[in-house]
Amino acid sequence: SQKIEQNSEALNIQEGKTATLTCNYTNYSPAYLQWYRQDPGRGPVFLLLIRENEKEKRKERLKVTFDTTLKQSLFHITASQPADSATYLCALGRGGADKLIFGTGTRLQVFP
Amino acid sequence: GAVVSQHPSWVICKSGTSVKIECRSLDFQATTMFWYRQFPKQSLMLMATSNEGSKATYEQGVEKDKFLINHASLTLSTLTVTSAHPEDSSFYICSARPLGDTQYFGPGTRLTVL
């Protein structure tokens, strides 16, 4: 069955540094991959979508890469701020009526 | 844009009662809506997928008679937890998908069954 793994349960970094989160998957061929941010007690908030034919996508301080050969996506937050502290979820999908499959999430803590 | 609301944001009920949770897409029409539940420190678990005007498709292991889903319009879906028990206590989140691949999530509903 398909499996999605996100690196380490928690990631602690200093303000101003670049945070890099990893999403690896097996037994699956997604058409796209999405990243969401989730704060405690809240629903996920959509951040970025990257398709299988795209290598990289950027949005302000966020950058996502997608390597279908390695079956991996990297999510970068540059110049990180304490307000970036949250849990980040990756999700894979094939489109159409297919459902999203979520990873377990990585909790990011940015300290001053 | 792409705002999804849920009501109520939290609810406490007695065991054996039924609870209805509403999910609305406020500024777009959602061809498909999804219902998830999430336990503490765990990821989202899909419960069911619903398309407007048709019966919901439930994931394996989810009791359709216990979790009733009604997708009455392109902007409203409801989840009713029937005869709730303490083990149904969880965080329930809906999402709505307009045309395209992105799902937009509601803020979630915290259900506590006493």
Side-chain angles (χ1 to χ4, degrees), chain A residues 18-55:
Chain A
T18 296
T20 299
L21 284 65
T22 305
C23 177
N24 295 293
Y25 59 93
T26 56
N27 298 324
Y28 198 70
S29 297
Y32 57 83
L33 186 147
Q34 301 184 22
W35 283 90
Y36 288 83
R37 168 186 173 140
Q38 187 175 26
D39 291 284
R42 304 291 294 173
V45 174
F46 170 74
L47 296 175
L48 281 167
L49 180 152
I50 187 166
R51 300 195 181 277
E52 60 178 335
N53 60 347
E54 297 175 310
K55 296 292 184 186

PDB file of all heavy atoms in Angstrom, chain A residues 18-55:
ATOM      1  N   THR A  18      16.996  28.869   6.995  1.00  0.00           N
ATOM      2  CA  THR A  18      16.088  28.197   6.063  1.00  0.00           C
ATOM      3  C   THR A  18      15.667  26.858   6.639  1.00  0.00           C
ATOM      4  O   THR A  18      16.510  26.041   7.021  1.00  0.00           O
ATOM      5  CB  THR A  18      16.767  27.976   4.699  1.00  0.00           C
ATOM      6  OG1 THR A  18      17.063  29.235   4.111  1.00  0.00           O
ATOM      7  CG2 THR A  18      15.865  27.176   3.771  1.00  0.00           C
ATOM      8  N   ALA A  19      14.371  26.656   6.695  1.00  0.00           N
ATOM      9  CA  ALA A  19      13.837  25.373   7.154  1.00  0.00           C
ATOM     10  C   ALA A  19      13.601  24.489   5.944  1.00  0.00           C
ATOM     11  O   ALA A  19      13.051  24.939   4.930  1.00  0.00           O
ATOM     12  CB  ALA A  19      12.521  25.582   7.899  1.00  0.00           C
ATOM     13  N   THR A  20      14.022  23.244   6.019  1.00  0.00           N
ATOM     14  CA  THR A  20      13.811  22.299   4.922  1.00  0.00           C
ATOM     15  C   THR A  20      13.074  21.076   5.445  1.00  0.00           C
ATOM     16  O   THR A  20      13.564  20.375   6.337  1.00  0.00           O
ATOM     17  CB  THR A  20      15.152  21.863   4.295  1.00  0.00           C
ATOM     18  OG1 THR A  20      15.809  23.014   3.767  1.00  0.00           O
ATOM     19  CG2 THR A  20      14.906  20.856   3.172  1.00  0.00           C
ATOM     20  N   LEU A  21      11.911  20.837   4.880  1.00  0.00           N
ATOM     21  CA  LEU A  21      11.080  19.705   5.282  1.00  0.00           C
ATOM     22  C   LEU A  21      11.023  18.718   4.126  1.00  0.00           C
ATOM     23  O   LEU A  21      10.981  19.100   2.957  1.00  0.00           O
ATOM     24  CB  LEU A  21       9.669  20.163   5.636  1.00  0.00           C
ATOM     25  CG  LEU A  21       9.458  20.871   6.980  1.00  0.00           C
ATOM     26  CD1 LEU A  21      10.194  22.207   7.047  1.00  0.00           C
ATOM     27  CD2 LEU A  21       7.980  21.065   7.250  1.00  0.00           C
ATOM     28  N   THR A  22      10.981  17.432   4.474  1.00  0.00           N
ATOM     29  CA  THR A  22      11.052  16.385   3.467  1.00  0.00           C
ATOM     30  C   THR A  22       9.779  15.557   3.453  1.00  0.00           C
ATOM     31  O   THR A  22       9.192  15.276   4.499  1.00  0.00           O
ATOM     32  CB  THR A  22      12.241  15.452   3.751  1.00  0.00           C
ATOM     33  OG1 THR A  22      13.434  16.220   3.846  1.00  0.00           O
ATOM     34  CG2 THR A  22      12.402  14.422   2.650  1.00  0.00           C
ATOM     35  N   CYS A  23       9.369  15.179   2.254  1.00  0.00           N
ATOM     36  CA  CYS A  23       8.221  14.298   2.080  1.00  0.00           C
ATOM     37  C   CYS A  23       8.634  13.203   1.106  1.00  0.00           C
ATOM     38  O   CYS A  23       8.975  13.489  -0.040  1.00  0.00           O
ATOM     39  CB  CYS A  23       7.040  15.088   1.532  1.00  0.00           C
ATOM     40  SG  CYS A  23       5.554  14.117   1.184  1.00  0.00           S
ATOM     41  N   ASN A  24       8.662  11.970   1.589  1.00  0.00           N
ATOM     42  CA  ASN A  24       9.008  10.823   0.746  1.00  0.00           C
ATOM     43  C   ASN A  24       7.807   9.902   0.606  1.00  0.00           C
ATOM     44  O   ASN A  24       7.039   9.734   1.550  1.00  0.00           O
ATOM     45  CB  ASN A  24      10.166  10.031   1.368  1.00  0.00           C
ATOM     46  CG  ASN A  24      11.445  10.830   1.409  1.00  0.00           C
ATOM     47  OD1 ASN A  24      12.033  11.139   0.387  1.00  0.00           O
ATOM     48  ND2 ASN A  24      11.884  11.177   2.607  1.00  0.00           N
ATOM     49  N   TYR A  25       7.683   9.286  -0.547  1.00  0.00           N
ATOM     50  CA  TYR A  25       6.542   8.400  -0.744  1.00  0.00           C
ATOM     51  C   TYR A  25       6.971   7.122  -1.468  1.00  0.00           C
ATOM     52  O   TYR A  25       7.982   7.092  -2.180  1.00  0.00           O
ATOM     53  CB  TYR A  25       5.421   9.097  -1.520  1.00  0.00           C
ATOM     54  CG  TYR A  25       5.799   9.595  -2.887  1.00  0.00           C
ATOM     55  CD1 TYR A  25       5.599   8.810  -4.026  1.00  0.00           C
ATOM     56  CD2 TYR A  25       6.350  10.866  -3.059  1.00  0.00           C
ATOM     57  CE1 TYR A  25       5.942   9.273  -5.281  1.00  0.00           C
ATOM     58  CE2 TYR A  25       6.695  11.334  -4.317  1.00  0.00           C
ATOM     59  CZ  TYR A  25       6.495  10.541  -5.415  1.00  0.00           C
ATOM     60  OH  TYR A  25       6.837  10.993  -6.676  1.00  0.00           O
ATOM     61  N   THR A  26       6.204   6.084  -1.253  1.00  0.00           N
ATOM     62  CA  THR A  26       6.463   4.795  -1.911  1.00  0.00           C
ATOM     63  C   THR A  26       5.152   4.197  -2.389  1.00  0.00           C
ATOM     64  O   THR A  26       4.080   4.533  -1.885  1.00  0.00           O
ATOM     65  CB  THR A  26       7.147   3.790  -0.946  1.00  0.00           C
ATOM     66  OG1 THR A  26       6.326   3.647   0.224  1.00  0.00           O
ATOM     67  CG2 THR A  26       8.534   4.253  -0.554  1.00  0.00           C
ATOM     68  N   ASN A  27       5.255   3.326  -3.361  1.00  0.00           N
ATOM     69  CA  ASN A  27       4.092   2.598  -3.892  1.00  0.00           C
ATOM     70  C   ASN A  27       2.984   3.535  -4.354  1.00  0.00           C
ATOM     71  O   ASN A  27       1.794   3.281  -4.126  1.00  0.00           O
ATOM     72  CB  ASN A  27       3.526   1.638  -2.841  1.00  0.00           C
ATOM     73  CG  ASN A  27       4.539   0.588  -2.437  1.00  0.00           C
ATOM     74  OD1 ASN A  27       5.332   0.122  -3.257  1.00  0.00           O
ATOM     75  ND2 ASN A  27       4.541   0.207  -1.181  1.00  0.00           N
ATOM     76  N   TYR A  28       3.399   4.618  -4.991  1.00  0.00           N
ATOM     77  CA  TYR A  28       2.402   5.577  -5.451  1.00  0.00           C
ATOM     78  C   TYR A  28       2.983   6.401  -6.582  1.00  0.00           C
ATOM     79  O   TYR A  28       4.180   6.670  -6.607  1.00  0.00           O
ATOM     80  CB  TYR A  28       1.995   6.500  -4.291  1.00  0.00           C
ATOM     81  CG  TYR A  28       0.694   7.249  -4.507  1.00  0.00           C
ATOM     82  CD1 TYR A  28      -0.521   6.576  -4.500  1.00  0.00           C
ATOM     83  CD2 TYR A  28       0.686   8.623  -4.703  1.00  0.00           C
ATOM     84  CE1 TYR A  28      -1.713   7.256  -4.682  1.00  0.00           C
ATOM     85  CE2 TYR A  28      -0.493   9.311  -4.888  1.00  0.00           C
ATOM     86  CZ  TYR A  28      -1.697   8.624  -4.883  1.00  0.00           C
ATOM     87  OH  TYR A  28      -2.875   9.293  -5.065  1.00  0.00           O
ATOM     88  N   SER A  29       2.142   6.785  -7.509  1.00  0.00           N
ATOM     89  CA  SER A  29       2.562   7.651  -8.615  1.00  0.00           C
ATOM     90  C   SER A  29       1.635   8.855  -8.667  1.00  0.00           C
ATOM     91  O   SER A  29       0.622   8.845  -9.387  1.00  0.00           O
ATOM     92  CB  SER A  29       2.498   6.873  -9.940  1.00  0.00           C
ATOM     93  OG  SER A  29       3.400   5.800  -9.923  1.00  0.00           O
ATOM     94  N   PRO A  30       1.957   9.894  -7.926  1.00  0.00           N
ATOM     95  CA  PRO A  30       1.058  11.042  -7.871  1.00  0.00           C
ATOM     96  C   PRO A  30       1.152  11.908  -9.116  1.00  0.00           C
ATOM     97  O   PRO A  30       2.192  11.973  -9.779  1.00  0.00           O
ATOM     98  CB  PRO A  30       1.574  11.809  -6.645  1.00  0.00           C
ATOM     99  CG  PRO A  30       3.023  11.471  -6.582  1.00  0.00           C
ATOM    100  CD  PRO A  30       3.147  10.061  -7.081  1.00  0.00           C
ATOM    101  N   ALA A  31       0.060  12.548  -9.423  1.00  0.00           N
ATOM    102  CA  ALA A  31       0.056  13.532 -10.504  1.00  0.00           C
ATOM    103  C   ALA A  31       0.475  14.901  -9.957  1.00  0.00           C
ATOM    104  O   ALA A  31       0.934  15.757 -10.706  1.00  0.00           O
ATOM    105  CB  ALA A  31      -1.328  13.621 -11.131  1.00  0.00           C
ATOM    106  N   TYR A  32       0.288  15.073  -8.652  1.00  0.00           N
ATOM    107  CA  TYR A  32       0.673  16.333  -8.031  1.00  0.00           C
ATOM    108  C   TYR A  32       0.893  16.120  -6.544  1.00  0.00           C
ATOM    109  O   TYR A  32       0.500  15.096  -5.980  1.00  0.00           O
ATOM    110  CB  TYR A  32      -0.387  17.413  -8.261  1.00  0.00           C
ATOM    111  CG  TYR A  32      -1.763  17.044  -7.760  1.00  0.00           C
ATOM    112  CD1 TYR A  32      -2.108  17.204  -6.431  1.00  0.00           C
ATOM    113  CD2 TYR A  32      -2.708  16.517  -8.630  1.00  0.00           C
ATOM    114  CE1 TYR A  32      -3.359  16.849  -5.972  1.00  0.00           C
ATOM    115  CE2 TYR A  32      -3.971  16.151  -8.183  1.00  0.00           C
ATOM    116  CZ  TYR A  32      -4.286  16.320  -6.854  1.00  0.00           C
ATOM    117  OH  TYR A  32      -5.524  15.955  -6.399  1.00  0.00           O
ATOM    118  N   LEU A  33       1.491  17.110  -5.943  1.00  0.00           N
ATOM    119  CA  LEU A  33       1.775  17.063  -4.515  1.00  0.00           C
ATOM    120  C   LEU A  33       1.445  18.450  -3.950  1.00  0.00           C
ATOM    121  O   LEU A  33       1.724  19.462  -4.585  1.00  0.00           O
ATOM    122  CB  LEU A  33       3.247  16.727  -4.297  1.00  0.00           C
ATOM    123  CG  LEU A  33       3.742  16.480  -2.878  1.00  0.00           C
ATOM    124  CD1 LEU A  33       4.864  15.448  -2.899  1.00  0.00           C
ATOM    125  CD2 LEU A  33       4.231  17.756  -2.232  1.00  0.00           C
ATOM    126  N   GLN A  34       0.821  18.439  -2.793  1.00  0.00           N
ATOM    127  CA  GLN A  34       0.441  19.705  -2.158  1.00  0.00           C
ATOM    128  C   GLN A  34       1.077  19.809  -0.782  1.00  0.00           C
ATOM    129  O   GLN A  34       1.294  18.799  -0.105  1.00  0.00           O
ATOM    130  CB  GLN A  34      -1.084  19.790  -2.031  1.00  0.00           C
ATOM    131  CG  GLN A  34      -1.828  19.693  -3.351  1.00  0.00           C
ATOM    132  CD  GLN A  34      -3.329  19.882  -3.206  1.00  0.00           C
ATOM    133  OE1 GLN A  34      -3.801  20.460  -2.250  1.00  0.00           O
ATOM    134  NE2 GLN A  34      -4.082  19.391  -4.178  1.00  0.00           N
ATOM    135  N   TRP A  35       1.316  21.018  -0.359  1.00  0.00           N
ATOM    136  CA  TRP A  35       1.789  21.297   0.997  1.00  0.00           C
ATOM    137  C   TRP A  35       0.768  22.177   1.705  1.00  0.00           C
ATOM    138  O   TRP A  35       0.248  23.142   1.122  1.00  0.00           O
ATOM    139  CB  TRP A  35       3.150  21.985   0.974  1.00  0.00           C
ATOM    140  CG  TRP A  35       4.274  21.041   0.688  1.00  0.00           C
ATOM    141  CD1 TRP A  35       4.773  20.711  -0.538  1.00  0.00           C
ATOM    142  CD2 TRP A  35       5.034  20.292   1.649  1.00  0.00           C
ATOM    143  NE1 TRP A  35       5.794  19.808  -0.400  1.00  0.00           N
ATOM    144  CE2 TRP A  35       5.984  19.532   0.934  1.00  0.00           C
ATOM    145  CE3 TRP A  35       5.011  20.201   3.051  1.00  0.00           C
ATOM    146  CZ2 TRP A  35       6.889  18.688   1.563  1.00  0.00           C
ATOM    147  CZ3 TRP A  35       5.920  19.362   3.672  1.00  0.00           C
ATOM    148  CH2 TRP A  35       6.847  18.612   2.929  1.00  0.00           C
ATOM    149  N   TYR A  36       0.507  21.798   2.951  1.00  0.00           N
ATOM    150  CA  TYR A  36      -0.436  22.533   3.782  1.00  0.00           C
ATOM    151  C   TYR A  36       0.239  22.900   5.095  1.00  0.00           C
ATOM    152  O   TYR A  36       1.130  22.189   5.571  1.00  0.00           O
ATOM    153  CB  TYR A  36      -1.677  21.678   4.103  1.00  0.00           C
ATOM    154  CG  TYR A  36      -2.612  21.450   2.951  1.00  0.00           C
ATOM    155  CD1 TYR A  36      -2.373  20.439   2.027  1.00  0.00           C
ATOM    156  CD2 TYR A  36      -3.756  22.226   2.794  1.00  0.00           C
ATOM    157  CE1 TYR A  36      -3.246  20.214   0.967  1.00  0.00           C
ATOM    158  CE2 TYR A  36      -4.643  22.010   1.744  1.00  0.00           C
ATOM    159  CZ  TYR A  36      -4.375  21.007   0.835  1.00  0.00           C
ATOM    160  OH  TYR A  36      -5.248  20.795  -0.198  1.00  0.00           O
ATOM    161  N   ARG A  37      -0.266  23.975   5.699  1.00  0.00           N
ATOM    162  CA  ARG A  37       0.159  24.367   7.033  1.00  0.00           C
ATOM    163  C   ARG A  37      -1.025  24.147   7.970  1.00  0.00           C
ATOM    164  O   ARG A  37      -2.164  24.494   7.638  1.00  0.00           O
ATOM    165  CB  ARG A  37       0.549  25.842   7.041  1.00  0.00           C
ATOM    166  CG  ARG A  37       0.725  26.415   8.447  1.00  0.00           C
ATOM    167  CD  ARG A  37       0.978  27.892   8.445  1.00  0.00           C
ATOM    168  NE  ARG A  37       0.958  28.377   9.826  1.00  0.00           N
ATOM    169  CZ  ARG A  37       1.802  29.278  10.306  1.00  0.00           C
ATOM    170  NH1 ARG A  37       2.733  29.810   9.514  1.00  0.00           N
ATOM    171  NH2 ARG A  37       1.715  29.655  11.566  1.00  0.00           N
ATOM    172  N   GLN A  38      -0.751  23.575   9.143  1.00  0.00           N
ATOM    173  CA  GLN A  38      -1.817  23.398  10.121  1.00  0.00           C
ATOM    174  C   GLN A  38      -1.363  23.908  11.473  1.00  0.00           C
ATOM    175  O   GLN A  38      -0.349  23.473  11.989  1.00  0.00           O
ATOM    176  CB  GLN A  38      -2.254  21.921  10.232  1.00  0.00           C
ATOM    177  CG  GLN A  38      -3.469  21.746  11.121  1.00  0.00           C
ATOM    178  CD  GLN A  38      -3.996  20.321  11.158  1.00  0.00           C
ATOM    179  OE1 GLN A  38      -3.258  19.377  10.936  1.00  0.00           O
ATOM    180  NE2 GLN A  38      -5.283  20.163  11.450  1.00  0.00           N
ATOM    181  N   ASP A  39      -2.147  24.814  12.028  1.00  0.00           N
ATOM    182  CA  ASP A  39      -1.913  25.303  13.376  1.00  0.00           C
ATOM    183  C   ASP A  39      -2.751  24.480  14.348  1.00  0.00           C
ATOM    184  O   ASP A  39      -3.782  23.917  13.969  1.00  0.00           O
ATOM    185  CB  ASP A  39      -2.266  26.788  13.466  1.00  0.00           C
ATOM    186  CG  ASP A  39      -1.286  27.638  12.677  1.00  0.00           C
ATOM    187  OD1 ASP A  39      -0.158  27.830  13.178  1.00  0.00           O
ATOM    188  OD2 ASP A  39      -1.619  28.057  11.553  1.00  0.00           O
ATOM    189  N   PRO A  40      -2.342  24.424  15.625  1.00  0.00           N
ATOM    190  CA  PRO A  40      -3.072  23.600  16.600  1.00  0.00           C
ATOM    191  C   PRO A  40      -4.550  23.956  16.668  1.00  0.00           C
ATOM    192  O   PRO A  40      -4.922  25.124  16.758  1.00  0.00           O
ATOM    193  CB  PRO A  40      -2.355  23.913  17.912  1.00  0.00           C
ATOM    194  CG  PRO A  40      -0.978  24.299  17.503  1.00  0.00           C
ATOM    195  CD  PRO A  40      -1.134  25.045  16.213  1.00  0.00           C
ATOM    196  N   GLY A  41      -5.398  22.950  16.586  1.00  0.00           N
ATOM    197  CA  GLY A  41      -6.828  23.173  16.708  1.00  0.00           C
ATOM    198  C   GLY A  41      -7.471  23.838  15.511  1.00  0.00           C
ATOM    199  O   GLY A  41      -8.600  24.326  15.599  1.00  0.00           O
ATOM    200  N   ARG A  42      -6.773  23.863  14.384  1.00  0.00           N
ATOM    201  CA  ARG A  42      -7.296  24.509  13.186  1.00  0.00           C
ATOM    202  C   ARG A  42      -7.210  23.544  11.999  1.00  0.00           C
ATOM    203  O   ARG A  42      -6.470  22.572  12.014  1.00  0.00           O
ATOM    204  CB  ARG A  42      -6.493  25.773  12.856  1.00  0.00           C
ATOM    205  CG  ARG A  42      -6.422  26.783  13.978  1.00  0.00           C
ATOM    206  CD  ARG A  42      -7.764  27.432  14.243  1.00  0.00           C
ATOM    207  NE  ARG A  42      -8.195  28.251  13.099  1.00  0.00           N
ATOM    208  CZ  ARG A  42      -9.387  28.814  13.006  1.00  0.00           C
ATOM    209  NH1 ARG A  42     -10.280  28.647  13.969  1.00  0.00           N
ATOM    210  NH2 ARG A  42      -9.706  29.552  11.969  1.00  0.00           N
ATOM    211  N   GLY A  43      -7.956  23.850  10.946  1.00  0.00           N
ATOM    212  CA  GLY A  43      -7.865  23.052   9.741  1.00  0.00           C
ATOM    213  C   GLY A  43      -6.631  23.430   8.929  1.00  0.00           C
ATOM    214  O   GLY A  43      -6.063  24.506   9.109  1.00  0.00           O
ATOM    215  N   PRO A  44      -6.189  22.543   8.058  1.00  0.00           N
ATOM    216  CA  PRO A  44      -5.018  22.839   7.224  1.00  0.00           C
ATOM    217  C   PRO A  44      -5.284  24.006   6.273  1.00  0.00           C
ATOM    218  O   PRO A  44      -6.410  24.192   5.802  1.00  0.00           O
ATOM    219  CB  PRO A  44      -4.808  21.546   6.428  1.00  0.00           C
ATOM    220  CG  PRO A  44      -5.515  20.487   7.213  1.00  0.00           C
ATOM    221  CD  PRO A  44      -6.684  21.183   7.833  1.00  0.00           C
ATOM    222  N   VAL A  45      -4.239  24.749   5.995  1.00  0.00           N
ATOM    223  CA  VAL A  45      -4.313  25.862   5.056  1.00  0.00           C
ATOM    224  C   VAL A  45      -3.425  25.548   3.862  1.00  0.00           C
ATOM    225  O   VAL A  45      -2.239  25.234   4.033  1.00  0.00           O
ATOM    226  CB  VAL A  45      -3.857  27.183   5.721  1.00  0.00           C
ATOM    227  CG1 VAL A  45      -3.794  28.306   4.702  1.00  0.00           C
ATOM    228  CG2 VAL A  45      -4.803  27.553   6.865  1.00  0.00           C
ATOM    229  N   PHE A  46      -3.983  25.625   2.676  1.00  0.00           N
ATOM    230  CA  PHE A  46      -3.249  25.315   1.452  1.00  0.00           C
ATOM    231  C   PHE A  46      -2.117  26.304   1.228  1.00  0.00           C
ATOM    232  O   PHE A  46      -2.294  27.521   1.366  1.00  0.00           O
ATOM    233  CB  PHE A  46      -4.213  25.329   0.257  1.00  0.00           C
ATOM    234  CG  PHE A  46      -3.525  25.246  -1.072  1.00  0.00           C
ATOM    235  CD1 PHE A  46      -2.982  24.047  -1.507  1.00  0.00           C
ATOM    236  CD2 PHE A  46      -3.421  26.362  -1.882  1.00  0.00           C
ATOM    237  CE1 PHE A  46      -2.358  23.958  -2.736  1.00  0.00           C
ATOM    238  CE2 PHE A  46      -2.796  26.290  -3.113  1.00  0.00           C
ATOM    239  CZ  PHE A  46      -2.259  25.086  -3.542  1.00  0.00           C
ATOM    240  N   LEU A  47      -0.947  25.771   0.865  1.00  0.00           N
ATOM    241  CA  LEU A  47       0.209  26.626   0.590  1.00  0.00           C
ATOM    242  C   LEU A  47       0.618  26.566  -0.882  1.00  0.00           C
ATOM    243  O   LEU A  47       0.646  27.574  -1.571  1.00  0.00           O
ATOM    244  CB  LEU A  47       1.391  26.215   1.475  1.00  0.00           C
ATOM    245  CG  LEU A  47       1.201  26.379   2.979  1.00  0.00           C
ATOM    246  CD1 LEU A  47       2.396  25.816   3.728  1.00  0.00           C
ATOM    247  CD2 LEU A  47       0.960  27.832   3.346  1.00  0.00           C
ATOM    248  N   LEU A  48       0.953  25.369  -1.347  1.00  0.00           N
ATOM    249  CA  LEU A  48       1.480  25.236  -2.705  1.00  0.00           C
ATOM    250  C   LEU A  48       1.076  23.904  -3.295  1.00  0.00           C
ATOM    251  O   LEU A  48       0.960  22.915  -2.589  1.00  0.00           O
ATOM    252  CB  LEU A  48       3.018  25.310  -2.698  1.00  0.00           C
ATOM    253  CG  LEU A  48       3.667  26.693  -2.593  1.00  0.00           C
ATOM    254  CD1 LEU A  48       5.148  26.539  -2.288  1.00  0.00           C
ATOM    255  CD2 LEU A  48       3.474  27.472  -3.879  1.00  0.00           C
ATOM    256  N   LEU A  49       0.918  23.882  -4.602  1.00  0.00           N
ATOM    257  CA  LEU A  49       0.698  22.650  -5.350  1.00  0.00           C
ATOM    258  C   LEU A  49       1.757  22.573  -6.427  1.00  0.00           C
ATOM    259  O   LEU A  49       2.024  23.562  -7.115  1.00  0.00           O
ATOM    260  CB  LEU A  49      -0.700  22.642  -5.979  1.00  0.00           C
ATOM    261  CG  LEU A  49      -1.105  21.423  -6.811  1.00  0.00           C
ATOM    262  CD1 LEU A  49      -2.629  21.238  -6.763  1.00  0.00           C
ATOM    263  CD2 LEU A  49      -0.670  21.526  -8.257  1.00  0.00           C
ATOM    264  N   ILE A  50       2.363  21.417  -6.581  1.00  0.00           N
ATOM    265  CA  ILE A  50       3.355  21.208  -7.627  1.00  0.00           C
ATOM    266  C   ILE A  50       2.997  19.942  -8.379  1.00  0.00           C
ATOM    267  O   ILE A  50       2.652  18.922  -7.778  1.00  0.00           O
ATOM    268  CB  ILE A  50       4.794  21.144  -7.039  1.00  0.00           C
ATOM    269  CG1 ILE A  50       5.825  21.087  -8.169  1.00  0.00           C
ATOM    270  CG2 ILE A  50       4.952  19.999  -6.057  1.00  0.00           C
ATOM    271  CD1 ILE A  50       7.247  21.354  -7.693  1.00  0.00           C
ATOM    272  N   ARG A  51       3.057  19.991  -9.688  1.00  0.00           N
ATOM    273  CA  ARG A  51       2.653  18.857 -10.512  1.00  0.00           C
ATOM    274  C   ARG A  51       3.865  18.001 -10.887  1.00  0.00           C
ATOM    275  O   ARG A  51       5.005  18.440 -10.796  1.00  0.00           O
ATOM    276  CB  ARG A  51       1.934  19.343 -11.767  1.00  0.00           C
ATOM    277  CG  ARG A  51       0.679  20.137 -11.422  1.00  0.00           C
ATOM    278  CD  ARG A  51      -0.255  20.338 -12.587  1.00  0.00           C
ATOM    279  NE  ARG A  51      -1.416  21.125 -12.138  1.00  0.00           N
ATOM    280  CZ  ARG A  51      -2.475  20.598 -11.527  1.00  0.00           C
ATOM    281  NH1 ARG A  51      -2.532  19.300 -11.311  1.00  0.00           N
ATOM    282  NH2 ARG A  51      -3.475  21.360 -11.158  1.00  0.00           N
ATOM    283  N   GLU A  52       3.597  16.820 -11.352  1.00  0.00           N
ATOM    284  CA  GLU A  52       4.666  15.843 -11.617  1.00  0.00           C
ATOM    285  C   GLU A  52       5.635  16.311 -12.695  1.00  0.00           C
ATOM    286  O   GLU A  52       6.792  15.892 -12.714  1.00  0.00           O
ATOM    287  CB  GLU A  52       4.057  14.496 -12.026  1.00  0.00           C
ATOM    288  CG  GLU A  52       3.198  14.550 -13.268  1.00  0.00           C
ATOM    289  CD  GLU A  52       2.658  13.180 -13.651  1.00  0.00           C
ATOM    290  OE1 GLU A  52       3.274  12.163 -13.293  1.00  0.00           O
ATOM    291  OE2 GLU A  52       1.602  13.145 -14.309  1.00  0.00           O
ATOM    292  N   ASN A  53       5.165  17.193 -13.572  1.00  0.00           N
ATOM    293  CA  ASN A  53       6.050  17.674 -14.637  1.00  0.00           C
ATOM    294  C   ASN A  53       6.752  18.980 -14.264  1.00  0.00           C
ATOM    295  O   ASN A  53       7.423  19.590 -15.087  1.00  0.00           O
ATOM    296  CB  ASN A  53       5.268  17.859 -15.936  1.00  0.00           C
ATOM    297  CG  ASN A  53       4.142  18.864 -15.797  1.00  0.00           C
ATOM    298  OD1 ASN A  53       3.783  19.253 -14.683  1.00  0.00           O
ATOM    299  ND2 ASN A  53       3.569  19.293 -16.903  1.00  0.00           N
ATOM    300  N   GLU A  54       6.580  19.403 -13.011  1.00  0.00           N
ATOM    301  CA  GLU A  54       7.245  20.612 -12.531  1.00  0.00           C
ATOM    302  C   GLU A  54       8.353  20.224 -11.560  1.00  0.00           C
ATOM    303  O   GLU A  54       8.169  19.368 -10.699  1.00  0.00           O
ATOM    304  CB  GLU A  54       6.230  21.535 -11.827  1.00  0.00           C
ATOM    305  CG  GLU A  54       5.129  22.033 -12.749  1.00  0.00           C
ATOM    306  CD  GLU A  54       4.079  22.845 -12.000  1.00  0.00           C
ATOM    307  OE1 GLU A  54       3.583  22.366 -10.948  1.00  0.00           O
ATOM    308  OE2 GLU A  54       3.766  23.946 -12.468  1.00  0.00           O
ATOM    309  N   LYS A  55       9.486  20.861 -11.687  1.00  0.00           N
ATOM    310  CA  LYS A  55      10.614  20.559 -10.803  1.00  0.00           C
ATOM    311  C   LYS A  55      10.592  21.414  -9.547  1.00  0.00           C
ATOM    312  O   LYS A  55      11.007  20.988  -8.471  1.00  0.00           O
ATOM    313  CB  LYS A  55      11.937  20.790 -11.541  1.00  0.00           C
ATOM    314  CG  LYS A  55      12.139  19.871 -12.718  1.00  0.00           C
ATOM    315  CD  LYS A  55      12.340  18.434 -12.259  1.00  0.00           C
ATOM    316  CE  LYS A  55      12.650  17.527 -13.424  1.00  0.00           C
ATOM    317  NZ  LYS A  55      12.712  16.104 -13.018  1.00  0.00           N
TER     318      LYS A  55
END
